[in-house]
């Protein structure tokens, strides 16, 4: 057997193991709310190649590539345990097991490592929480994608309705098409069908009621079976406490604003994202909702959640490229100086053009 044939046989064997991991990972997620991770990267709803590439990513953390033959025994051991809702990193389990000197089997070591999420100490499964999106623009569709993608077993946040103004023609078909295709984030990962008779969009089994309204004070969400819901206003039309209070209709318990707020209000400040990455406004929002879905606001803090800023010393004040040895670094001038230089050259060009037109 040649070296190429041996490598290809090894690839086929690893591919077969990765295929067998997919139903185990999916069953743990659906039935027990257990999210399987590999060095903090989720393996839920991943393809065979994605699972293998995630295992290869381990070389950047542990210094060596992790094989599916090493992690598969830990995954099989998890299926025999009485687990509660949790996130379990099988990459960390495999790495810790290599350094363990107690002589335990994989099953015994796994049971001991995750004992805090089994038996009497496991967390009870939470009841699902309804979510309503007021507005269905770019940010609204990104939040909808994340809610559907992270639905899991259905015991977390569930998108129940969107509130929009009625458009012309086949409005609901157009909105479903915009959800299905995005010029930046690509195709929706799943299936989308439209029930025009009942004004519903069905995405990956989630029945999303489309409510047409121009005034939030005229909507009764209990008529659609929605109760104790979190409403996300992504229109930016109302940004103060008084305006957002109009959303507190029957069926709505909390209101979250995605646009910058005005006045004194509870807020969540996420780290500044690079220009052009609009998805950064949606993902921190989902983390905030999961953090506060069952947490009452503390007295006096207004439910305020803020991410601590990095120390000033960690922020590079001047970005520079490495220079050859023996040369001083060339620093980019500050913006006002660059603008003054460009303006100076622009004036000189104008003067030359005038001289050409009116020679002396």
């Amino acid at each position: 057997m040649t070296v190429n044939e041996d490598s290809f046989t090894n690839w086929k064997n690893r591919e077969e193991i990765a295929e067998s991991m997919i139903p185990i990972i999916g069953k743990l997620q659906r039935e027990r709310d257990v999210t399987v991770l590999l060095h903090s990267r989720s393996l839920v709803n991943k393809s065979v190649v994605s699972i293998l590439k995630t295992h290869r990513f381990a070389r950047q953390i542990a210094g060596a590539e992790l094989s599916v033959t090493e992690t598969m025994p830990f995954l099989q051991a998890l299926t025999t345990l009485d687990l509660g809702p949790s996130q379990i990193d099988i990459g960390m389990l495999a790495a810790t097991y290599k350094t363990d000197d107690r002589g335990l089997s994989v099953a015994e070591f796994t049971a001991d490592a995750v004992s805090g999420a089994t038996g009497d100490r496991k967390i009870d499964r939470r009841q699902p929480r309804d979510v309503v999106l007021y507005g269905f623009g770019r940010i609204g569709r990104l939040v909808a994608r994340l809610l559907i993608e992270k639905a899991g077993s259905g015991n977390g946040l569930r998108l129940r309705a969107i509130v929009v103004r009625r458009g012309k023609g086949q409005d609901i078909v157009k909105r479903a098409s915009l959800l299905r295709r995005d010029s930046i984030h690509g195709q929706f990962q799943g299936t989308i069908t439209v029930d025009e008779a009942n004004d519903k969009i069905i995405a990956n089994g989630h029945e999303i009621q489309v409510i047409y309204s121009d005034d939030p004070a005229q909507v009764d969400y209990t008529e659609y079976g929605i109760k104790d819901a979190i409403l996300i206003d992504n229109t930016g039309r109302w940004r103060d406490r008084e305006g957002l209070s109009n959303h507190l209709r029957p069926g709505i318990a909390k209101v979250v604003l995605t646009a910058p707020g005005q006045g004194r209000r509870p807020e969540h400040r996420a780290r500044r994202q690079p220009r052009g990455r609009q998805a950064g406004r949606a993902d921190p929002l989902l983390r905030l909702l999961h953090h506060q879905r069952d947490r009452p606001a503390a007295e006096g803090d207004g439910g305020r959640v803020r991410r601590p800023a990095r120390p000033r010393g960690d922020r590079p004040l001047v970005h520079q490229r490495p220079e050859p040895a023996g040369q001083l670094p060339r620093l980019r001038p500050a913006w006002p100086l660059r603008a003054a230089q460009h303006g100076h050259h622009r004036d000189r060009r104008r003067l030359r053009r005038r001289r050409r037109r009116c020679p002396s």
Side-chain angles (χ1 to χ4, degrees), residues 89-127:
D89 194 322
I90 57 176
M92 295 297 296
L93 284 176
T96 309
Y97 181 70
K98 291 180 180 179
T99 60
D100 187 75
D101 56 357
R102 292 177 293 175
L104 301 176
S105 64
V106 171
E108 294 171 341
F109 176 82
T110 304
D112 179 67
V114 301
S115 59
T118 59
D120 297 335
R121 287 183 281 184
K122 68 179 181 181
I123 302 173
D124 295 331
R125 302 181 71 176
R126 301 175 295 185
Q127 294 298 319

Side-chain angles (χ1 to χ4, degrees), residues 115-287:
S115 59
T118 59
D120 297 335
R121 287 183 281 184
K122 68 179 181 181
I123 302 173
D124 295 331
R125 302 181 71 176
R126 301 175 295 185
Q127 294 298 319
R129 185 72 180 270
D130 295 343
V131 176
V132 176
L133 296 180
Y134 197 95
F136 203 56
R138 187 67 178 275
I139 297 299
R141 293 192 295 271
L142 292 179
V143 175
R145 284 189 174 206
L146 289 170
L147 286 169
I148 296 169
E149 175 188 345
K150 299 179 182 296
S153 63
N155 290 324
L157 300 172
R158 298 180 61 184
L159 179 59
R160 293 293 308 278
I162 60 174
V163 185
V164 294
R165 292 182 295 179
R166 186 179 294 276
K168 298 180 181 179
Q170 295 179 315
D171 180 76
I172 191 171
V173 175
K174 295 177 182 177
R175 296 185 184 278
S177 178
L178 290 172
L179 178 62
R180 186 179 291 112
R181 302 176 186 89
D182 187 274
S183 59
I184 301 297
H185 301 274
Q187 293 281 342
F188 175 80
Q189 299 299 317
T191 61
I192 296 178
T193 57
V194 176
D195 184 358
E196 293 188 78
N198 297 313
D199 290 336
K200 290 183 178 181
I201 298 175
I202 304 173
N204 289 0
H206 296 258
E207 292 189 359
I208 306 170
Q209 181 69 51
V210 181
I211 303 173
Y212 293 104
S213 176
D214 295 330
D215 186 1
Q218 296 179 357
V219 184
D220 186 356
Y221 296 96
T222 57
E223 296 179 359
Y224 304 96
I226 299 172
K227 59 181 181 179
D228 196 30
I230 300 174
L231 185 141
I232 304 174
D233 185 320
N234 50 77
T235 63
R237 184 178 177 184
W238 300 276
R239 295 193 293 166
D240 56 5
R241 182 180 292 273
E242 182 180 357
L244 294 173
S245 298
N246 294 327
H247 291 301
L248 294 175
R249 301 289 298 161
I252 302 299
K254 294 182 180 180
V255 179
V256 178
L257 175 66
T258 60
Q262 295 177 345
R264 188 177 180 182
R265 75 282 176 196
E267 63 182 11
H268 169 75
R269 297 182 179 179
R271 183 175 299 160
R272 185 178 177 181
Q273 297 290 335
R275 183 177 298 178
R277 290 183 57 185
Q278 295 192 31
R281 294 178 60 188
D283 195 30
L285 173 65
L286 266 291
R287 291 198 295 269

Side-chain angles (χ1 to χ4, degrees), residues 30-71:
R30 289 190 305 272
E31 297 182 359
R32 306 186 190 179
D33 277 342
V34 175
T35 302
V36 179
L37 309 174
L38 186 75
H39 290 302
S40 301
R41 292 191 170 191
S42 174
L43 297 181
V44 179
N45 292 332
K46 299 298 182 182
S47 65
V48 172
V49 175
S50 295
I51 292 176
L52 293 174
K53 289 178 68 175
T54 306
H55 279 74
R56 182 167 171 76
F57 168 77
R59 74 187 190 281
Q60 300 184 21
I61 298 175
E65 183 176 346
L66 190 62
S67 174
V68 289
T69 58
E70 300 178 64
T71 57

Side-chain angles (χ1 to χ4, degrees), residues 261-324:
Q262 295 177 345
R264 188 177 180 182
R265 75 282 176 196
E267 63 182 11
H268 169 75
R269 297 182 179 179
R271 183 175 299 160
R272 185 178 177 181
Q273 297 290 335
R275 183 177 298 178
R277 290 183 57 185
Q278 295 192 31
R281 294 178 60 188
D283 195 30
L285 173 65
L286 266 291
R287 291 198 295 269
L288 170 66
L289 295 180
H290 279 287
H291 178 74
Q292 287 200 333
R293 64 186 298 268
D294 296 322
R295 170 186 173 270
E299 222 176 294
D301 69 349
R304 188 164 307 189
V305 179
R306 294 183 181 177
R307 179 180 296 176
R310 291 188 297 171
R312 187 66 183 177
D314 295 342
R315 305 178 187 177
L317 301 180
V318 179
H319 299 274
Q320 55 188 11
R321 296 178 181 177
E323 298 293 330

